[in-house]
Amino acid sequence: MNTTLGGRPMRLPFGPETLQALATLQPWRCAAQILTQWLVCGLAIALAERLKQWPVTVAAMLVIATRQHAMLVLMHDAAHCLLARNRRLNDIVGNLLLAFPLTLSVAHYRAHHFRHHRYLNGEGDPDLADSAIPATRGRFLALLLRDASGLTTLATLRSANSFGMLGLFSKESPGSRLDRGLAVAFLAAVAALVAGFGVWREFILYWLLPILLFMPAILRVRGIAEHGGRLGNPAATAARSLRVGWIERFLWAPCHINRHWEHHSCPAVPSYKLPQLSRLLAAGDAGCAAANPTLGYFIGPRSLIHELYPADRPVPAHATAPEKGMHGPHGE
């Protein structure tokens, strides 16, 4: 079966019936994914408030940031209408439970992200800068520390503004009247609940600070992991597929977002079926990214950081370190 990846021809090692089966949505699995992220956030807050110790509070903030990241990944599914085939229902769920809580908009992210698919690794790709590799391993780690310290937070917010929910009220917005009405209702409801229950401190500590302090580092790793070092590669390896353990999955790769090349190969397949898709693609082409995954982000000789910075490789003259914040759920 022939398809394209970023405008380049590619052949899938299975027929349209298999692809249709993979693309068939299972709403209960989607609901379970969304519910899990919110439950973990609630449990982390409850534990931190019960113990009231700063190390526990910081750990809870980190856990919440990883689940906010998972919500971004699921918002990416919503952009592809993979929460529900009915686009209106898909966008309502995606906005209210995933995008709006993170100040984003499904419609705006969809417009941005589809350009990434259409012009993958090319001049029109809006996420191209996020794949730029810092010149050295030390520089990479230093940038992550800057992210976690909050020094790159404003840049992250500026870059994410291209698909923020406030953009729904601009004249050029791709959002609908329903999107705008839901955004107003959502903001009013959050303000009323926070003020009514007097939980401004908790709202800032457990929701806003994880976004501002931990999210930039998570998104920087994601952005570089997905396409960094592969911008000139052919379609079969134009993005990276990673095999990760449970710790790195929790920190960096929720909802199988580590199978990024597989997603580009078949964007109609929901996140919970990407492992199955990966096995099929790997079996059909021994040279593709799915058959030759990167083994983790930071640990091991075949991890991302060793792939980007092998000990015997000189520093590339063209390597640059992105000082700007990352663009969003797919490192966009």
Side-chain angles (χ1 to χ4, degrees):
M1 178 178 175
N2 294 319
T3 184
T4 61
L5 194 153
R8 288 169 285 183
M10 176 180 158
R11 181 171 180 79
L12 296 176
F14 48 77
E17 298 83 5
T18 300
L19 180 58
Q20 183 177 1
L22 288 169
T24 299
L25 302 185
Q26 296 176 299
W28 69 269
R29 297 184 70 174
C30 173
Q33 285 180 310
I34 296 174
L35 181 61
T36 296
Q37 315 318 322
W38 284 104
L39 282 177
V40 173
C41 288
L43 290 173
I45 294 171
L47 181 62
E49 284 297 289
R50 181 176 179 83
L51 297 180
K52 293 190 179 297
Q53 296 179 3
W54 275 108
V56 178
T57 299
V58 173
M61 293 166 61
L62 174 59
V63 168
I64 291 168
T66 66
R67 297 312 90 200
Q68 291 171 329
H69 178 216
M71 293 177 194
L72 291 178
V73 173
L74 294 174
M75 184 194 74
H76 162 261
D77 268 18
H80 286 278
C81 288
L82 298 179
L83 304 186
R85 289 303 181 202
N86 181 293
R87 181 159 175 165
R88 174 173 290 190
L89 176 60
N90 175 90
D91 286 9
I92 289 174
V93 173
N95 278 321
L96 292 180
L97 297 181
L98 302 169
F100 287 173
L102 298 169
T103 73
L104 302 175
S105 155
V106 170
H108 275 257
Y109 176 66
R110 178 181 289 130
H112 176 102
H113 184 62
F114 280 16
R115 293 198 303 274
H116 170 60
H117 275 268
R118 187 177 304 116
Y119 304 111
L120 178 64
N121 296 347
E123 187 176 345
D125 187 345
D127 302 330
L128 202 59
D130 294 344
S131 300
I133 305 170
T136 65
R137 180 183 303 193
R139 179 71 169 161
F140 184 18
L141 298 177
L143 284 172
L144 295 183
L145 289 176
R146 281 173 55 86
D147 291 335
S149 70
L151 293 176
T152 58
T153 294
L154 290 179
T156 299
L157 293 177
R158 284 197 298 269
S159 61
N161 187 54
S162 60
F163 40 85
M165 64 187 299
L166 295 181
L168 288 170
F169 302 96
S170 69
K171 293 182 179 179
E172 298 80 16
S173 172
S176 66
R177 182 178 300 177
L178 176 61
D179 291 338
R180 290 188 285 274
L182 287 175
V184 171
F186 178 86
L187 292 173
V190 169
L193 288 171
V194 172
F197 286 97
V199 290
W200 290 104
R201 168 191 167 274
E202 290 79 4
F203 178 67
I204 293 172
L205 186 63
Y206 295 117
W207 196 253
L208 295 184
L209 286 183
I211 294 174
L212 299 178
L213 296 181
F214 294 109
M215 190 69 73
I218 292 173
L219 294 180
R220 186 180 297 279
V221 173
R222 274 273 317 286
I224 291 176
E226 290 173 351
H227 297 284
R230 300 200 172 192
L231 299 185
N233 284 26
T237 56
R240 193 173 273 105
S241 179
L242 289 98
R243 187 183 301 162
V244 295
W246 67 270
I247 295 177
E248 287 194 309
R249 182 178 303 283
F250 184 82
L251 290 174
W252 313 108
C255 305
H256 306 295
I257 195 62
N258 49 300
R259 301 295 188 179
H260 192 62
W261 179 80
E262 292 86 337
H263 165 67
H264 273 286
S265 301
C266 300
V269 176
S271 58
Y272 45 83
K273 291 187 178 180
L274 287 178
Q276 181 182 355
L277 171 64
S278 183
R279 290 190 292 271
L280 290 172
L281 291 171
D285 182 1
C288 75
N292 300 276
T294 301
L295 302 184
Y297 291 88
F298 293 103
I299 302 171
R302 292 181 59 190
S303 64
L304 171 69
I305 197 162
H306 283 273
E307 181 181 324
L308 296 177
Y309 306 107
D312 57 348
R313 189 191 73 179
V315 176
H318 65 275
T320 58
E323 296 289 346
K324 297 182 180 180
M326 312 310 284
H327 284 95
H330 246 51
E332 288 90 1

